[in-house]
Amino acid sequence: MFNKKTIEDIDLKDKKVIVRVDYNVPLDADLNVKDNTRIKLSLPTLNYLIAQNCKIILMAHLGRPKGEVVGKYRLTPAAKELEKLIGKPVKKFDEIASNAIKDYIDKTMKNGEIIMLENVRFNAGETKNNLDFAKELSGLADVYVNDAFGAAHRAHSSTAGIAQYLPAVAGYLLKTEVEELTSIIENPRKPFLAVLGGAKVADKIMVIKNFLNIVDSIIVGGGMSYTFLKSKGYEIGKSIHAEDPAEYEEQIKFAGEAIQEAQKNNVSFITPVDIVVAKMDSEGSFSGKKTVKADSIPCDYEGFDMGEETLKLYEKEIASAKTIFWNGPVGFFENAEFENGTKRVANAIANSNAKTIVGGGDTLSALKKFGLTDRISHVSSGGGASMELLEGKLLPGVAALLDK
């Protein structure tokens, strides 16, 4: 249940509304939007505000300009893409907030129109949650709407600080994301399976700790699985792991403890039993590709995908689940030689009868590569935000909104 006020819980008729959207989208070499998914996801909220005859002021970030004006991080491409999708002009400013923008909003802008401010991260105060900057932003509008789930885990001026100065409510995307993700923590259909991959164990530690009290089974794959194999005393050759020795030792210790905790909690904890390995030279070329037992990775080889026996275990577990959360590919799927494991997992999840929730940028890229995005119950737009929510954390951008 979402316990914060939304755009439907407040009078927005004819109001000036400043909306935080997540337009941190990939651009091509010509600075055109390569993937407009995040822009499309903002349309229900924007169309509702248009129907309420609002003056709509959009703010967003792109990339990490570190408080400086960087040409390639301007939001002009996003404004042009939004124009195409929403079917009306979007006036883009090259500043974030100024007297000129305020005058335009108050004196020239008509109700139902949309403007977009420049990248909020061009201001060094944004990522520090500088309240002077937040107050400056708030001076442009009557109401604040947060619809940027992908940035809701950041306590920034445009996600948290601004809510101190304006009535603050959620847009449709933010509400849906929080409801979908909290539903699998609070009331999942059983059996509940978590499929966790990707390169870094560090990114998943808190999620695994929380999931060990909720799920019925956990599948570990991808680069992070080699640390779990190491915790069992297996040699992993040159397979990916934390570079810092002290950090790596801590992660091996955590992996071993997680496996023991799973046994105590009667949680099935599935690690790879066979691995597709190869040698990679300094130029990124591969040789000697073969499948070996998980406890027999040669010292001069590196793991790049899950083996056939492992995938059969994964597929069997996926088929029996009623709720599935997936974050992280289980192999180097970007390379066609090592895409089999992630492709098989993606297809198994898409073909299952479970409620399926998928998050994380690389995972979404895999779904798109294999044409399966439309066959997932909910595809989360926020990787970091979704993981922090599933860790049990309160997201600053959500906490700042008005309670119902």
Side-chain angles (χ1 to χ4, degrees):
M1 181 178 172
F2 191 69
N3 60 1
K4 296 291 183 177
K5 287 189 176 181
T6 74
I7 49 176
E8 294 186 1
D9 298 318
I10 191 170
D11 179 18
L12 294 174
K13 198 73 176 171
D14 301 326
K15 294 280 177 41
K16 295 179 290 184
V17 181
I18 189 164
V19 188
R20 180 58 159 97
V21 288
D22 182 9
Y23 288 175
N24 188 26
V25 293
L27 306 178
D28 63 21
D30 297 319
L31 299 184
N32 296 311
V33 174
K34 276 202 300 187
D35 183 346
N36 64 10
T37 302
R38 285 179 167 173
I39 301 175
K40 282 182 177 178
L41 289 170
S42 71
L43 296 182
T45 292
L46 299 186
N47 284 323
Y48 179 86
L49 297 177
I50 291 168
Q52 296 299 307
N53 209 33
C54 298
K55 292 182 180 181
I56 303 165
I57 304 135
L58 300 181
M59 55 180 175
H61 80 276
L62 178 62
R64 295 179 178 176
K66 298 180 180 178
E68 297 180 0
V69 176
V70 181
K72 67 179 180 179
Y73 291 139
R74 287 195 179 277
L75 285 170
T76 308
K80 289 178 180 175
E81 189 67 22
L82 176 60
E83 278 190 339
K84 294 179 200 170
L85 292 169
I86 207 160
K88 64 187 302 171
V90 176
K91 182 175 177 61
K92 160 69 172 42
F93 286 88
D94 290 334
E95 301 171 284
I96 305 169
S98 66
N99 288 332
I101 293 174
K102 183 168 173 48
D103 285 346
Y104 179 87
I105 293 167
D106 292 340
K107 299 173 183 176
T108 306
M109 189 178 183
K110 294 181 173 60
N111 288 32
E113 291 185 343
I114 303 171
I115 68 169
M116 185 182 294
L117 309 179
E118 190 51 276
N119 189 337
V120 288
R121 289 191 182 174
F122 285 179
N123 186 305
E126 162 66 2
T127 56
K128 298 172 184 173
N129 196 16
N130 181 283
L131 294 184
D132 289 336
F133 179 49
K135 190 173 184 179
E136 189 178 11
L137 291 169
S138 73
L140 302 176
D142 305 312
V143 176
Y144 166 63
V145 173
N146 191 344
D147 209 30
F149 178 71
H153 60 313
R154 306 296 189 194
H156 290 176
S157 298
S158 69
T159 60
I162 191 172
Q164 296 189 32
Y165 302 102
L166 290 174
V169 298
Y172 288 126
L173 174 62
L174 185 68
K175 176 179 183 287
T176 299
E177 288 275 19
V178 174
E179 284 182 332
E180 289 287 350
L181 289 161
T182 54
S183 73
I184 64 172
I185 298 175
E186 296 171 356
N187 190 31
R189 290 174 61 208
K190 296 282 193 167
F192 178 14
L193 165 66
V195 181
L196 302 175
K200 298 178 182 177
V201 175
D203 293 345
K204 308 289 195 305
I205 286 175
M206 295 308 297
V207 170
I208 291 172
K209 284 183 176 179
N210 202 33
F211 274 176
L212 285 170
N213 299 307
I214 302 168
V215 302
D216 299 287
S217 53
I218 294 176
I219 283 173
V220 172
M224 64 180 286
S225 65
Y226 302 111
T227 300
F228 284 85
L229 297 178
K230 188 72 174 177
S231 76
K232 295 184 175 187
Y234 300 170
E235 288 304 319
I236 63 168
K238 293 185 176 180
S239 302
I240 188 170
H241 59 273
E243 292 182 7
D244 180 77
E247 183 184 354
Y248 187 36
E249 284 302 317
E250 280 296 311
Q251 290 179 4
I252 293 169
K253 181 183 175 189
F254 163 75
E257 290 172 348
I259 292 170
Q260 290 177 0
E261 186 71 15
Q263 289 174 337
K264 278 196 276 182
N265 293 358
N266 203 27
V267 172
S268 176
F269 203 101
I270 302 168
T271 56
V273 295
D274 58 348
I275 301 288
V276 178
V277 299
K279 292 180 180 180
M280 184 172 71
D281 64 25
S282 58
E283 296 180 358
S285 297
F286 300 96
S287 63
K289 179 183 173 184
K290 60 183 178 179
T291 301
V292 300
K293 295 294 183 184
D295 61 356
S296 305
I297 299 176
C299 62
D300 54 345
Y301 276 74
E302 184 174 347
F304 288 103
D305 201 4
M306 305 294 98
E308 180 65 25
E309 295 307 310
T310 299
L311 292 173
K312 286 178 181 177
L313 290 175
Y314 288 179
E315 288 167 338
K316 182 180 179 182
E317 200 69 25
I318 290 167
S320 65
K322 291 289 189 288
T323 301
I324 300 170
F325 173 74
W326 179 28
N327 179 283
V330 300
F332 184 29
F333 77 95
E334 295 91 343
N335 185 300
E337 281 197 78
F338 306 108
E339 70 176 16
N340 181 55
T342 301
K343 187 175 185 178
R344 291 259 298 265
V345 166
N347 273 287
I349 291 172
N351 291 329
S352 76
N353 294 318
K355 176 177 182 175
T356 53
I357 294 181
V358 175
D362 288 339
T363 323
L364 304 192
S365 295
L367 283 177
K368 286 172 187 172
K369 179 176 182 178
F370 305 130
L372 299 170
T373 307
D374 294 340
R375 293 169 59 190
I376 301 299
S377 307
H378 178 71
V379 177
S380 179
S381 63
S386 63
M387 295 304 279
E388 290 200 15
L389 197 63
L390 293 172
E391 288 171 13
K393 292 181 180 177
L394 189 61
L395 306 184
V398 176
L401 304 178
L402 292 171
D403 292 327
K404 271 195 174 179

Tab-separated table of all heavy atoms in Angstrom, residues 342-373:
chain	number	residue	atom	x	y	z
A	342	THR	N	22.034	-16.061	-19.692
A	342	THR	CA	21.097	-14.960	-19.435
A	342	THR	C	19.867	-15.091	-20.318
A	342	THR	O	18.741	-14.819	-19.877
A	342	THR	CB	21.804	-13.604	-19.663
A	342	THR	OG1	22.925	-13.512	-18.779
A	342	THR	CG2	20.870	-12.451	-19.392
A	343	LYS	N	20.061	-15.533	-21.560
A	343	LYS	CA	18.925	-15.723	-22.478
A	343	LYS	C	17.993	-16.807	-21.949
A	343	LYS	O	16.760	-16.653	-21.965
A	343	LYS	CB	19.444	-16.089	-23.866
A	343	LYS	CG	18.373	-16.144	-24.941
A	343	LYS	CD	18.995	-16.391	-26.308
A	343	LYS	CE	17.958	-16.319	-27.409
A	343	LYS	NZ	18.582	-16.525	-28.747
A	344	ARG	N	18.550	-17.901	-21.472
A	344	ARG	CA	17.734	-19.000	-20.939
A	344	ARG	C	16.977	-18.559	-19.680
A	344	ARG	O	15.798	-18.874	-19.515
A	344	ARG	CB	18.625	-20.205	-20.624
A	344	ARG	CG	19.222	-20.894	-21.853
A	344	ARG	CD	18.483	-22.164	-22.225
A	344	ARG	NE	18.515	-23.178	-21.218
A	344	ARG	CZ	19.387	-24.186	-21.146
A	344	ARG	NH1	20.357	-24.272	-22.050
A	344	ARG	NH2	19.306	-25.094	-20.199
A	345	VAL	N	17.657	-17.849	-18.791
A	345	VAL	CA	17.010	-17.357	-17.573
A	345	VAL	C	15.892	-16.375	-17.927
A	345	VAL	O	14.783	-16.446	-17.387
A	345	VAL	CB	18.039	-16.693	-16.636
A	345	VAL	CG1	17.352	-15.877	-15.543
A	345	VAL	CG2	18.941	-17.749	-16.013
A	346	ALA	N	16.171	-15.455	-18.852
A	346	ALA	CA	15.173	-14.462	-19.264
A	346	ALA	C	13.941	-15.132	-19.856
A	346	ALA	O	12.799	-14.763	-19.539
A	346	ALA	CB	15.787	-13.492	-20.269
A	347	ASN	N	14.152	-16.126	-20.700
A	347	ASN	CA	13.023	-16.843	-21.311
A	347	ASN	C	12.233	-17.631	-20.272
A	347	ASN	O	10.998	-17.657	-20.312
A	347	ASN	CB	13.517	-17.767	-22.424
A	347	ASN	CG	13.625	-17.059	-23.762
A	347	ASN	OD1	12.624	-16.763	-24.404
A	347	ASN	ND2	14.848	-16.765	-24.181
A	348	ALA	N	12.946	-18.258	-19.339
A	348	ALA	CA	12.265	-19.028	-18.297
A	348	ALA	C	11.385	-18.117	-17.439
A	348	ALA	O	10.244	-18.469	-17.095
A	348	ALA	CB	13.283	-19.750	-17.418
A	349	ILE	N	11.896	-16.945	-17.098
A	349	ILE	CA	11.115	-15.990	-16.292
A	349	ILE	C	9.932	-15.470	-17.100
A	349	ILE	O	8.805	-15.383	-16.596
A	349	ILE	CB	12.023	-14.851	-15.800
A	349	ILE	CG1	13.015	-15.390	-14.762
A	349	ILE	CG2	11.196	-13.710	-15.200
A	349	ILE	CD1	14.087	-14.404	-14.336
A	350	ALA	N	10.158	-15.123	-18.361
A	350	ALA	CA	9.082	-14.605	-19.216
A	350	ALA	C	7.991	-15.644	-19.443
A	350	ALA	O	6.806	-15.300	-19.559
A	350	ALA	CB	9.660	-14.152	-20.550
A	351	ASN	N	8.366	-16.913	-19.495
A	351	ASN	CA	7.400	-17.986	-19.753
A	351	ASN	C	6.742	-18.528	-18.490
A	351	ASN	O	5.848	-19.377	-18.561
A	351	ASN	CB	8.095	-19.150	-20.486
A	351	ASN	CG	8.489	-18.764	-21.905
A	351	ASN	OD1	7.824	-17.963	-22.543
A	351	ASN	ND2	9.582	-19.335	-22.395
A	352	SER	N	7.171	-18.060	-17.335
A	352	SER	CA	6.632	-18.599	-16.080
A	352	SER	C	5.229	-18.065	-15.819
A	352	SER	O	4.786	-17.079	-16.421
A	352	SER	CB	7.544	-18.218	-14.910
A	352	SER	OG	7.351	-16.860	-14.562
A	353	ASN	N	4.527	-18.715	-14.895
A	353	ASN	CA	3.192	-18.263	-14.492
A	353	ASN	C	3.246	-17.366	-13.264
A	353	ASN	O	2.212	-17.030	-12.688
A	353	ASN	CB	2.294	-19.476	-14.202
A	353	ASN	CG	2.030	-20.292	-15.451
A	353	ASN	OD1	1.778	-19.734	-16.519
A	353	ASN	ND2	2.104	-21.609	-15.333
A	354	ALA	N	4.446	-16.982	-12.874
A	354	ALA	CA	4.642	-16.188	-11.661
A	354	ALA	C	4.411	-14.706	-11.927
A	354	ALA	O	4.411	-14.242	-13.076
A	354	ALA	CB	6.060	-16.394	-11.135
A	355	LYS	N	4.223	-13.961	-10.827
A	355	LYS	CA	4.331	-12.510	-10.916
A	355	LYS	C	5.821	-12.216	-11.016
A	355	LYS	O	6.613	-12.660	-10.178
A	355	LYS	CB	3.754	-11.830	-9.674
A	355	LYS	CG	3.946	-10.320	-9.683
A	355	LYS	CD	3.309	-9.642	-8.480
A	355	LYS	CE	3.497	-8.133	-8.567
A	355	LYS	NZ	2.793	-7.421	-7.484
A	356	THR	N	6.222	-11.472	-12.046
A	356	THR	CA	7.646	-11.264	-12.300
A	356	THR	C	7.986	-9.785	-12.245
A	356	THR	O	7.342	-8.955	-12.893
A	356	THR	CB	8.032	-11.841	-13.670
A	356	THR	OG1	7.156	-11.300	-14.688
A	356	THR	CG2	7.906	-13.354	-13.678
A	357	ILE	N	9.006	-9.466	-11.460
A	357	ILE	CA	9.491	-8.091	-11.359
A	357	ILE	C	10.979	-8.095	-11.679
A	357	ILE	O	11.743	-8.884	-11.118
A	357	ILE	CB	9.236	-7.508	-9.957
A	357	ILE	CG1	7.723	-7.384	-9.728
A	357	ILE	CG2	9.922	-6.158	-9.796
A	357	ILE	CD1	7.345	-6.795	-8.387
A	358	VAL	N	11.370	-7.219	-12.591
A	358	VAL	CA	12.758	-7.156	-13.037
A	358	VAL	C	13.272	-5.740	-12.869
A	358	VAL	O	12.568	-4.772	-13.175
A	358	VAL	CB	12.876	-7.585	-14.518
A	358	VAL	CG1	14.296	-7.398	-15.021
A	358	VAL	CG2	12.446	-9.042	-14.684
A	359	GLY	N	14.499	-5.604	-12.343
A	359	GLY	CA	15.101	-4.288	-12.170
A	359	GLY	C	16.574	-4.322	-12.462
A	359	GLY	O	17.211	-5.378	-12.458
A	360	GLY	N	17.144	-3.137	-12.718
A	360	GLY	CA	18.574	-3.032	-12.989
A	360	GLY	C	18.843	-2.794	-14.460
A	360	GLY	O	18.267	-3.474	-15.317
A	361	GLY	N	19.705	-1.826	-14.760
A	361	GLY	CA	19.948	-1.434	-16.146
A	361	GLY	C	20.439	-2.546	-17.043
A	361	GLY	O	19.938	-2.724	-18.164
A	362	ASP	N	21.403	-3.342	-16.586
A	362	ASP	CA	21.926	-4.438	-17.409
A	362	ASP	C	20.869	-5.516	-17.642
A	362	ASP	O	20.797	-6.109	-18.721
A	362	ASP	CB	23.158	-5.065	-16.752
A	362	ASP	CG	24.371	-4.151	-16.819
A	362	ASP	OD1	24.391	-3.252	-17.686
A	362	ASP	OD2	25.292	-4.328	-16.010
A	363	THR	N	20.048	-5.747	-16.623
A	363	THR	CA	18.989	-6.753	-16.745
A	363	THR	C	17.956	-6.304	-17.772
A	363	THR	O	17.474	-7.109	-18.581
A	363	THR	CB	18.313	-7.000	-15.389
A	363	THR	OG1	19.301	-6.935	-14.356
A	363	THR	CG2	17.640	-8.354	-15.351
A	364	LEU	N	17.616	-5.025	-17.741
A	364	LEU	CA	16.659	-4.495	-18.715
A	364	LEU	C	17.239	-4.548	-20.125
A	364	LEU	O	16.526	-4.845	-21.084
A	364	LEU	CB	16.273	-3.054	-18.363
A	364	LEU	CG	15.708	-2.806	-16.966
A	364	LEU	CD1	15.113	-1.415	-16.861
A	364	LEU	CD2	14.656	-3.838	-16.608
A	365	SER	N	18.537	-4.297	-20.237
A	365	SER	CA	19.192	-4.394	-21.552
A	365	SER	C	19.106	-5.818	-22.092
A	365	SER	O	18.900	-6.028	-23.295
A	365	SER	CB	20.660	-3.972	-21.446
A	365	SER	OG	20.774	-2.619	-21.096
A	366	ALA	N	19.251	-6.790	-21.197
A	366	ALA	CA	19.145	-8.187	-21.610
A	366	ALA	C	17.727	-8.504	-22.080
A	366	ALA	O	17.540	-9.159	-23.119
A	366	ALA	CB	19.539	-9.107	-20.453
A	367	LEU	N	16.733	-8.047	-21.346
A	367	LEU	CA	15.342	-8.278	-21.756
A	367	LEU	C	15.082	-7.694	-23.136
A	367	LEU	O	14.428	-8.320	-23.976
A	367	LEU	CB	14.384	-7.651	-20.744
A	367	LEU	CG	14.148	-8.381	-19.429
A	367	LEU	CD1	13.228	-7.561	-18.536
A	367	LEU	CD2	13.546	-9.765	-19.652
A	368	LYS	N	15.588	-6.490	-23.369
A	368	LYS	CA	15.385	-5.852	-24.676
A	368	LYS	C	16.110	-6.620	-25.773
A	368	LYS	O	15.579	-6.814	-26.864
A	368	LYS	CB	15.878	-4.401	-24.623
A	368	LYS	CG	14.954	-3.483	-23.840
A	368	LYS	CD	15.559	-2.106	-23.647
A	368	LYS	CE	14.687	-1.271	-22.725
A	368	LYS	NZ	15.326	0.002	-22.354
A	369	LYS	N	17.324	-7.054	-25.475
A	369	LYS	CA	18.109	-7.795	-26.477
A	369	LYS	C	17.365	-9.054	-26.922
A	369	LYS	O	17.376	-9.393	-28.115
A	369	LYS	CB	19.470	-8.178	-25.896
A	369	LYS	CG	20.344	-8.977	-26.863
A	369	LYS	CD	21.728	-9.266	-26.299
A	369	LYS	CE	22.581	-10.019	-27.313
A	369	LYS	NZ	23.948	-10.294	-26.841
A	370	PHE	N	16.697	-9.701	-25.980
A	370	PHE	CA	16.014	-10.960	-26.294
A	370	PHE	C	14.528	-10.764	-26.584
A	370	PHE	O	13.784	-11.736	-26.742
A	370	PHE	CB	16.216	-11.956	-25.153
A	370	PHE	CG	17.667	-12.187	-24.812
A	370	PHE	CD1	18.122	-12.109	-23.501
A	370	PHE	CD2	18.594	-12.452	-25.808
A	370	PHE	CE1	19.459	-12.302	-23.188
A	370	PHE	CE2	19.942	-12.645	-25.509
A	370	PHE	CZ	20.378	-12.568	-24.196
A	371	GLY	N	14.066	-9.508	-26.648
A	371	GLY	CA	12.678	-9.192	-27.020
A	371	GLY	C	11.640	-9.662	-26.022
A	371	GLY	O	10.541	-10.080	-26.411
A	372	LEU	N	11.946	-9.578	-24.735
A	372	LEU	CA	11.058	-10.148	-23.712
A	372	LEU	C	10.473	-9.121	-22.739
A	372	LEU	O	9.750	-9.489	-21.819
A	372	LEU	CB	11.827	-11.208	-22.908
A	372	LEU	CG	12.352	-12.400	-23.718
A	372	LEU	CD1	13.294	-13.245	-22.864
A	372	LEU	CD2	11.181	-13.251	-24.216
A	373	THR	N	10.762	-7.855	-22.952
A	373	THR	CA	10.340	-6.820	-22.001
A	373	THR	C	8.838	-6.850	-21.749
A	373	THR	O	8.382	-6.703	-20.596
A	373	THR	CB	10.753	-5.425	-22.515
A	373	THR	OG1	12.148	-5.444	-22.823
A	373	THR	CG2	10.495	-4.365	-21.461
